Amino acid sequence: MFKAIRIAILLFILVNVALATVLAKYRTTDWKQPLRVVIYPLNGDRSEASAAYLTSLGDASFEPIAVFMQEEGRRYDVALNEPVQVRLGPVVDELPPAPPTSGNPLAVMAWSLQLRYWAWRHDTAAGGKPDIRLFVLYHDPATHAVLAHSLGLEKGLIGVVNAFAAHSMAGSNNMVITHEMLHTLGATDKYEMGSNLPRFPVGYAEPELAPRYPQRFAEIMAGRIAVSEQKAVIPDGLATTLIGTETAREIRWMK
């Protein structure tokens, strides 16, 4: 009897979480009002360099993200003049739960729920509940040449981003943050998993460009500019990045 009650309670929680996810999906992509995005910085490697970098951050550090979404929204005739409002939240001291190393569905589900509970506990920004919460873990580039994969969850509208604690890399950091933010809105990756090359045509910002190479911009969900069929480069930031038509459809900017 006790086991049956536990299962029933778990099912009730899962049904309510699923319903809330569906409602949030339609509310956040109807583009009737600006989405409130809060970025919570974290000292991801517990280094002095990252701690010092966190003190230099302000709302202006992430203004390029809002500008990018505004300019791209105009290209797709989005009626809303300001699709997102991005502001900096307080520093979070506790690191988020690590994702499972295996692809076990139950482990992934349990981790997703843990992350959402962790995000709820650290959602302490003033000024009303945000629509999207992005937790950015900064690392000293002097000791971290490569960072772990970032992620954006559509369920819960939460992003966990690994970034470099260096002003020279602020542009590429903002590109990764924007990529994961769009994941929370339903956008999918558009690069080949093995090679990281943009997938043609959906991973090309200008698939109709003639000649096709080199491309001039990166598609935001591909993350790289294709300069040849077998080579792509990472852009310095959002200035050389566009939202492609397939991504625009996924976030309901076009049919």
Side-chain angles (χ1 to χ4, degrees):
M1 177 65 71
F2 181 68
K3 182 179 180 180
I5 293 174
R6 283 196 306 170
I7 293 175
I9 293 174
L10 179 59
L11 289 174
F12 176 79
I13 293 173
L14 291 176
V15 167
N16 278 274
V17 168
L19 179 60
T21 299
V22 171
L23 293 175
K25 165 68 176 177
Y26 283 98
R27 179 178 55 81
T28 54
T29 57
D30 62 11
W31 303 107
K32 293 181 178 179
Q33 58 185 5
L35 294 180
R36 294 163 298 182
V37 179
V38 173
I39 294 177
Y40 293 93
L42 295 87
N43 186 337
D45 58 1
R46 300 305 198 223
S47 69
E48 293 184 5
S50 296
Y53 185 77
L54 295 190
T55 64
S56 71
L57 295 174
D59 288 345
S61 304
F62 308 101
E63 185 178 354
I65 298 173
V67 172
F68 171 79
M69 293 294 289
Q70 184 179 50
E71 292 176 347
E72 290 300 279
R74 288 182 186 141
R75 284 205 310 120
Y76 287 100
D77 295 323
V78 175
L80 191 63
N81 180 58
E82 191 179 27
V84 301
Q85 296 172 342
V86 185
R87 59 191 174 95
L88 179 67
V91 173
V92 174
D93 293 325
E94 180 185 344
L95 295 179
T101 55
S102 70
N104 182 283
L106 291 178
V108 172
M109 182 183 299
W111 166 78
S112 177
L113 291 174
Q114 290 172 2
L115 179 63
R116 293 165 75 171
Y117 175 67
W118 176 90
W120 172 77
R121 287 198 299 112
H122 294 92
D123 187 8
T124 58
K129 179 177 171 55
D131 296 298
I132 300 174
R133 294 163 291 177
L134 302 174
F135 298 89
V136 183
L137 286 67
Y138 287 96
H139 303 76
D140 181 2
T143 55
H144 292 78
V146 180
L147 299 179
H149 190 67
S150 301
L151 56 92
L153 298 182
E154 189 175 1
K155 296 179 179 179
L157 298 167
I158 300 167
V160 178
V161 180
N162 289 295
F164 290 108
H167 290 290
S168 61
M169 306 184 82
S172 56
N173 286 342
N174 281 337
M175 190 181 72
V176 176
I177 292 170
T178 305
H179 177 103
E180 301 306 336
M181 179 186 72
L182 289 170
H183 267 316
T184 71
L185 297 173
T188 59
D189 285 324
K190 294 173 178 64
Y191 55 83
E192 301 291 347
M193 297 304 294
S195 64
N196 287 329
L197 290 171
R199 293 191 347 250
F200 183 81
V202 295
Y204 283 53
E206 299 175 302
E208 304 303 324
L209 187 68
R212 182 175 298 168
Y213 304 106
Q215 289 279 301
R216 301 180 298 174
F217 300 91
E219 204 286 334
I220 184 65
M221 300 311 294
R224 285 171 170 79
I225 303 172
V227 296
S228 72
E229 188 173 354
Q230 299 298 328
K231 183 180 179 181
V233 296
I234 300 174
D236 293 330
L238 291 167
T240 50
T241 307
L242 298 178
I243 289 178
T245 55
E246 184 61 25
T247 298
R249 289 190 187 94
E250 290 170 339
I251 65 173
R252 299 174 65 197
W253 273 8
M254 61 182 295
K255 295 182 180 179

